[in-house]
Amino acid sequence: MSSQSLPESFRLRAGNFNLLVLRLLDPRPEAVLPALGDQFRRAPGFLRFAPIVIGLADLAVAPEEVDFRGLIEGLHALEIVPIGTTGGSPQMRQAATAAGLPPLRAVGGRDPEAEAPASTAIPPAEAAPPTAATPPAPTAAPAEAPAAPAFQGSGRAAMVVTEPVRSGQRIYAEGADLIVTATVNPGGEVIADGNIHVYGALRGRAIAGAQNDAEARIFALNFDPELIAIAGFYAVREGLGEAPIGRPAQVRLDGEEMRFAPLG
């Protein structure tokens, strides 16, 4: 049976931030993944290891019906890297965050899904409460990190990670700051509801203020990330402009703009 005779289950749209948006029209991994895999096989290399944003605006279903974890695992099996979501209800975004897909908005506040026409929505399945570590990429298990005493800089508790964050690992500090005393390697991801401190090289992805805390900041002694985000506003490596790459730096939000400053 040709792929053209199958019901449409997804659409890919180019966003304005060098990332692709996978707009879900069907929430079931068993509907989306085979069709996506077929496109992947016809264009090898196009999506391999590509970061991708999951679009939720076309799903008019209850959050508990969306199998976010199954979708994440299936995308990883296709060597595609889901990094976050756009659109959807607050409850849907909360369920996605619990599965390791924080809500993202492009710097400047434009929602990439707003550029494409709306589509017919369909039904999704499982969301679990947030944990200190969310689902891994195919080759690495997420690491849990011990909680530290209260971090005096922000008044929040802090999670401390003393081992390098490997490619494929994702660490989430729920309701806390995150302190990494080692390197965040390319392909690794650190997420915190508060600030993120990396006392080493930040070469992977860092997402601070995951529950829309616009006051959160990112600090790194060697700033060279693949992606950074604060309160849903994000920038990829190519969009970091005058950031002090390879040097100590801090990142904060000023309205909807990211500001970069050297440390020390």
Side-chain angles (χ1 to χ4, degrees):
M1 181 183 294
S2 71
S3 60
Q4 293 181 338
S5 65
L6 295 173
E8 186 180 37
S9 62
F10 72 92
R11 290 178 184 170
L12 286 174
R13 290 286 185 267
N16 61 346
F17 41 75
N18 299 323
L19 292 173
L20 286 174
V21 178
L22 178 66
R23 299 184 65 202
L24 293 182
L25 305 182
D26 189 316
R28 298 168 301 162
E30 62 271 24
V32 174
L33 296 171
L36 187 58
D38 181 62
Q39 179 164 327
F40 181 83
R41 283 186 290 273
R42 283 184 279 131
F46 171 56
L47 291 174
R48 191 166 187 238
F49 301 123
I52 200 166
V53 179
I54 307 299
L56 304 176
D58 296 313
L59 294 179
V61 296
E64 60 270 17
E65 296 179 50
V66 185
D67 187 3
F68 285 113
R69 296 185 184 276
L71 183 63
I72 292 169
E73 291 172 4
L75 290 172
H76 283 153
L78 291 173
E79 298 182 320
I80 299 171
V81 184
I83 62 168
T85 63
T86 63
S89 66
Q91 294 79 13
M92 188 78 74
R93 293 194 296 272
Q94 185 176 14
T97 298
L101 293 173
L104 299 179
R105 293 187 298 272
V107 173
R110 297 177 66 192
D111 188 335
E113 292 196 52
E115 300 174 1
S119 305
T120 304
I122 314 186
E126 168 193 91
T131 59
T134 53
T139 56
E144 291 200 9
F151 175 58
Q152 298 302 317
S154 68
R156 276 183 290 257
M159 173 185 288
V160 178
V161 176
T162 59
E163 298 294 326
V165 180
R166 303 185 304 274
S167 176
Q169 276 189 299
R170 179 183 287 120
I171 296 175
Y172 173 36
E174 180 187 2
D177 292 339
L178 178 61
I179 300 173
V180 181
T181 61
T183 294
V184 180
N185 287 303
E189 185 171 77
V190 288
I191 305 171
D193 287 348
N195 304 308
I196 293 176
H197 302 254
V198 180
Y199 298 125
L202 171 57
R203 298 194 177 101
R205 299 182 292 274
I207 299 166
Q211 296 298 327
N212 293 319
D213 181 1
E215 299 300 316
R217 298 193 180 198
I218 298 171
F219 304 86
L221 291 186
N222 183 337
F223 184 74
D224 191 13
E226 297 172 322
L227 176 146
I228 53 170
I230 299 176
F233 294 93
Y234 66 97
V236 294
R237 181 67 170 77
E238 295 81 0
L240 295 182
E242 300 300 315
I245 301 298
R247 302 198 299 275
Q250 65 170 305
V251 188
R252 64 179 177 87
L253 272 184
D254 181 6
E256 295 182 354
E257 300 292 327
M258 282 193 180
R259 303 297 184 193
F260 305 93
L263 282 176

